[in-house]
PDB file of all heavy atoms in Angstrom:
ATOM      1  N   LEU A 182     -28.496  44.001 -46.789  1.00  0.00           N
ATOM      2  CA  LEU A 182     -28.386  43.668 -48.172  1.00  0.00           C
ATOM      3  C   LEU A 182     -27.413  44.604 -48.928  1.00  0.00           C
ATOM      4  O   LEU A 182     -26.611  44.164 -49.772  1.00  0.00           O
ATOM      5  CB  LEU A 182     -29.753  43.669 -48.889  1.00  0.00           C
ATOM      6  CG  LEU A 182     -30.691  42.583 -48.386  1.00  0.00           C
ATOM      7  CD1 LEU A 182     -32.025  42.735 -49.082  1.00  0.00           C
ATOM      8  CD2 LEU A 182     -30.126  41.160 -48.663  1.00  0.00           C
ATOM      9  N   GLY A 183     -27.538  45.893 -48.636  1.00  0.00           N
ATOM     10  CA  GLY A 183     -26.619  46.887 -49.172  1.00  0.00           C
ATOM     11  C   GLY A 183     -26.487  46.822 -50.703  1.00  0.00           C
ATOM     12  O   GLY A 183     -27.444  47.030 -51.456  1.00  0.00           O
ATOM     13  N   GLU A 184     -25.266  46.522 -51.198  1.00  0.00           N
ATOM     14  CA  GLU A 184     -24.929  46.553 -52.651  1.00  0.00           C
ATOM     15  C   GLU A 184     -25.714  45.490 -53.405  1.00  0.00           C
ATOM     16  O   GLU A 184     -26.032  45.687 -54.595  1.00  0.00           O
ATOM     17  CB  GLU A 184     -23.460  46.355 -52.838  1.00  0.00           C
ATOM     18  CG  GLU A 184     -22.600  47.541 -52.330  1.00  0.00           C
ATOM     19  CD  GLU A 184     -21.160  47.306 -52.551  1.00  0.00           C
ATOM     20  OE1 GLU A 184     -20.801  46.260 -53.132  1.00  0.00           O
ATOM     21  OE2 GLU A 184     -20.337  48.192 -52.143  1.00  0.00           O
ATOM     22  N   LYS A 185     -26.028  44.363 -52.769  1.00  0.00           N
ATOM     23  CA  LYS A 185     -26.755  43.304 -53.480  1.00  0.00           C
ATOM     24  C   LYS A 185     -28.153  43.779 -53.878  1.00  0.00           C
ATOM     25  O   LYS A 185     -28.597  43.559 -54.997  1.00  0.00           O
ATOM     26  CB  LYS A 185     -26.874  42.071 -52.557  1.00  0.00           C
ATOM     27  CG  LYS A 185     -25.544  41.357 -52.273  1.00  0.00           C
ATOM     28  CD  LYS A 185     -25.753  40.154 -51.392  1.00  0.00           C
ATOM     29  CE  LYS A 185     -24.442  39.457 -51.118  1.00  0.00           C
ATOM     30  NZ  LYS A 185     -24.620  38.306 -50.217  1.00  0.00           N
ATOM     31  N   MET A 186     -28.809  44.480 -52.954  1.00  0.00           N
ATOM     32  CA  MET A 186     -30.136  45.039 -53.238  1.00  0.00           C
ATOM     33  C   MET A 186     -30.052  46.074 -54.364  1.00  0.00           C
ATOM     34  O   MET A 186     -30.915  46.093 -55.243  1.00  0.00           O
ATOM     35  CB  MET A 186     -30.748  45.625 -51.961  1.00  0.00           C
ATOM     36  CG  MET A 186     -32.061  46.372 -52.206  1.00  0.00           C
ATOM     37  SD  MET A 186     -33.433  45.260 -52.653  1.00  0.00           S
ATOM     38  CE  MET A 186     -33.840  44.535 -51.077  1.00  0.00           C
ATOM     39  N   LEU A 187     -29.070  46.895 -54.293  1.00  0.00           N
ATOM     40  CA  LEU A 187     -28.879  47.983 -55.279  1.00  0.00           C
ATOM     41  C   LEU A 187     -28.669  47.379 -56.679  1.00  0.00           C
ATOM     42  O   LEU A 187     -29.228  47.850 -57.661  1.00  0.00           O
ATOM     43  CB  LEU A 187     -27.689  48.847 -54.908  1.00  0.00           C
ATOM     44  CG  LEU A 187     -27.408  50.018 -55.847  1.00  0.00           C
ATOM     45  CD1 LEU A 187     -28.611  50.985 -55.891  1.00  0.00           C
ATOM     46  CD2 LEU A 187     -26.164  50.803 -55.403  1.00  0.00           C
ATOM     47  N   LYS A 188     -27.898  46.279 -56.760  1.00  0.00           N
ATOM     48  CA  LYS A 188     -27.637  45.647 -58.050  1.00  0.00           C
ATOM     49  C   LYS A 188     -28.957  45.028 -58.628  1.00  0.00           C
ATOM     50  O   LYS A 188     -29.229  45.145 -59.833  1.00  0.00           O
ATOM     51  CB  LYS A 188     -26.605  44.517 -57.893  1.00  0.00           C
ATOM     52  CG  LYS A 188     -26.224  43.842 -59.191  1.00  0.00           C
ATOM     53  CD  LYS A 188     -25.138  42.788 -58.992  1.00  0.00           C
ATOM     54  CE  LYS A 188     -24.713  42.180 -60.317  1.00  0.00           C
ATOM     55  NZ  LYS A 188     -25.834  41.632 -61.073  1.00  0.00           N
ATOM     56  N   VAL A 189     -29.744  44.427 -57.755  1.00  0.00           N
ATOM     57  CA  VAL A 189     -31.024  43.820 -58.227  1.00  0.00           C
ATOM     58  C   VAL A 189     -31.935  44.897 -58.727  1.00  0.00           C
ATOM     59  O   VAL A 189     -32.574  44.742 -59.776  1.00  0.00           O
ATOM     60  CB  VAL A 189     -31.699  43.066 -57.079  1.00  0.00           C
ATOM     61  CG1 VAL A 189     -33.106  42.617 -57.438  1.00  0.00           C
ATOM     62  CG2 VAL A 189     -30.869  41.819 -56.667  1.00  0.00           C
ATOM     63  N   LEU A 190     -32.013  46.014 -58.018  1.00  0.00           N
ATOM     64  CA  LEU A 190     -32.906  47.142 -58.449  1.00  0.00           C
ATOM     65  C   LEU A 190     -32.437  47.733 -59.767  1.00  0.00           C
ATOM     66  O   LEU A 190     -33.234  48.074 -60.657  1.00  0.00           O
ATOM     67  CB  LEU A 190     -32.938  48.200 -57.363  1.00  0.00           C
ATOM     68  CG  LEU A 190     -33.661  47.816 -56.070  1.00  0.00           C
ATOM     69  CD1 LEU A 190     -33.529  48.951 -55.026  1.00  0.00           C
ATOM     70  CD2 LEU A 190     -35.125  47.532 -56.302  1.00  0.00           C
ATOM     71  N   ASN A 191     -31.115  47.881 -59.933  1.00  0.00           N
ATOM     72  CA  ASN A 191     -30.572  48.407 -61.175  1.00  0.00           C
ATOM     73  C   ASN A 191     -30.859  47.523 -62.375  1.00  0.00           C
ATOM     74  O   ASN A 191     -31.184  47.973 -63.440  1.00  0.00           O
ATOM     75  CB  ASN A 191     -29.050  48.656 -61.026  1.00  0.00           C
ATOM     76  CG  ASN A 191     -28.739  49.837 -60.173  1.00  0.00           C
ATOM     77  OD1 ASN A 191     -29.536  50.776 -60.040  1.00  0.00           O
ATOM     78  ND2 ASN A 191     -27.547  49.843 -59.536  1.00  0.00           N
ATOM     79  N   ASP A 192     -30.728  46.225 -62.140  1.00  0.00           N
ATOM     80  CA  ASP A 192     -31.020  45.247 -63.182  1.00  0.00           C
ATOM     81  C   ASP A 192     -32.498  45.303 -63.580  1.00  0.00           C
ATOM     82  O   ASP A 192     -32.866  45.231 -64.734  1.00  0.00           O
ATOM     83  CB  ASP A 192     -30.677  43.842 -62.735  1.00  0.00           C
ATOM     84  CG  ASP A 192     -29.165  43.589 -62.655  1.00  0.00           C
ATOM     85  OD1 ASP A 192     -28.461  44.405 -63.274  1.00  0.00           O
ATOM     86  OD2 ASP A 192     -28.752  42.657 -61.992  1.00  0.00           O
ATOM     87  N   ALA A 193     -33.371  45.437 -62.572  1.00  0.00           N
ATOM     88  CA  ALA A 193     -34.817  45.552 -62.803  1.00  0.00           C
ATOM     89  C   ALA A 193     -35.125  46.777 -63.640  1.00  0.00           C
ATOM     90  O   ALA A 193     -35.971  46.746 -64.562  1.00  0.00           O
ATOM     91  CB  ALA A 193     -35.588  45.564 -61.487  1.00  0.00           C
TER      92      ALA A 193
END
Side-chain angles (χ1 to χ4, degrees):
L182 293 176
E184 294 181 0
K185 293 181 180 178
M186 174 66 78
L187 183 61
K188 184 178 183 305
V189 171
L190 292 175
N191 286 336
D192 288 342

